[in-house]
Amino acid sequence: MKQLFTLTLFLLTITAFAQKPCEYSVNVNDSIGSYKVTNEYLMSEKYFGGSFNYIFFSLAQTDGLPTLNLQSIQKSKDFIKANCFDKNSKIFLQLENGKIVTLMHIDQESCGTLVRDDKGYDNRVNTGIFMFMKDNYEELKKSPISIMRIKYLTNIEDYIVKRELKSELTGKVTNPNTYFMENIRCVE
């Protein structure tokens, strides 16, 4: 009876601490190389005065090199200022343990695309690819994020990273502050 109890307790412990499987939107291995990208994950959602701003993350691995894809979606009936990425753009992540992790943008300028929808909203979609620095990559596995700062070509924006975010767009609940702790293993 003790052995059955011990075995049951062991299996429950393993199940409780098991990591969820990685889900990819792209996973290609061929003669040219390998490329995989995790599903997009809502990191920030702002609604103010009829304007919407969404930040999505996905992790990618190209031939063993992990990168972060950031997608910014702005939606408004008013003028939308372009937030461009260039070679000097960066993402700064302040962790709850006090350390700051910096991600560097690749050397490719991007100001996004402006599209008008049938409801009269202008939508600006901008995507940036950021590289991890070797010296602080491991810190992302250890501590949740508290603040995110994005340095654009001409602007800097700060975001408080929430423990739990219920999206008004999708109704889904995400945990942005532990995004890297839960997902970075998917691109290692």
Side-chain angles (χ1 to χ4, degrees), residues 16-188:
F17 290 106
Q19 295 177 340
K20 65 180 181 174
C22 295
E23 295 178 12
Y24 299 101
S25 59
V26 177
N27 192 356
V28 178
N29 286 309
D30 60 17
S31 61
I32 298 173
S34 65
Y35 180 69
K36 56 185 169 183
V37 179
T38 61
N39 293 335
E40 289 185 340
Y41 194 89
L42 181 64
M43 293 297 291
S44 177
E45 180 178 73
K46 289 182 185 177
Y47 173 70
F48 184 76
S51 296
F52 302 86
N53 188 351
Y54 305 98
I55 301 288
F56 292 92
F57 278 2
S58 62
L59 292 167
Q61 183 196 68
T62 308
D63 296 328
L65 177 68
T67 56
L68 174 71
N69 296 338
L70 179 144
Q71 184 178 52
S72 170
I73 301 173
Q74 297 169 285
K75 182 175 184 171
S76 180
K77 288 190 176 184
D78 297 328
F79 175 76
I80 299 176
K81 185 178 105 176
N83 284 329
C84 301
F85 292 118
D86 73 341
K87 64 181 180 181
N88 296 317
S89 295
K90 297 176 185 171
I91 297 176
F92 301 98
L93 302 170
Q94 183 170 345
L95 306 181
E96 288 183 7
N97 66 8
K99 297 190 177 180
I100 295 177
V101 174
T102 304
L103 288 83
M104 308 291 289
H105 190 262
I106 61 172
D107 192 5
Q108 179 180 349
E109 191 168 309
S110 168
C111 292
T113 305
L114 188 65
V115 179
R116 181 174 280 276
D117 66 18
D118 56 354
K119 296 178 182 174
Y121 281 94
D122 287 332
N123 298 277
R124 182 173 297 280
V125 179
N126 194 6
T127 303
I129 301 171
F130 293 83
M131 298 177 293
F132 296 96
M133 309 286 283
K134 276 189 174 184
D135 58 339
N136 53 23
Y137 177 79
E138 292 296 319
E139 292 298 325
L140 292 169
K141 298 177 190 178
K142 300 176 189 175
S143 181
I145 307 165
S146 59
I147 299 173
M148 172 175 58
R149 173 174 279 179
I150 301 174
K151 181 186 177 296
Y152 295 99
L153 175 64
T154 59
N155 190 25
I156 294 175
E157 290 193 19
D158 292 330
Y159 301 86
I160 303 295
V161 181
K162 297 180 179 178
R163 290 186 186 279
E164 184 174 284
L165 173 62
K166 182 171 183 186
S167 172
E168 292 181 29
L169 176 68
T170 64
K172 291 183 179 181
V173 176
T174 60
N175 302 99
N177 73 324
T178 57
Y179 174 74
F180 289 104
M181 294 172 67
E182 295 171 3
N183 294 291
I184 205 160
R185 63 184 170 77
C186 298
V187 294
E188 291 187 304

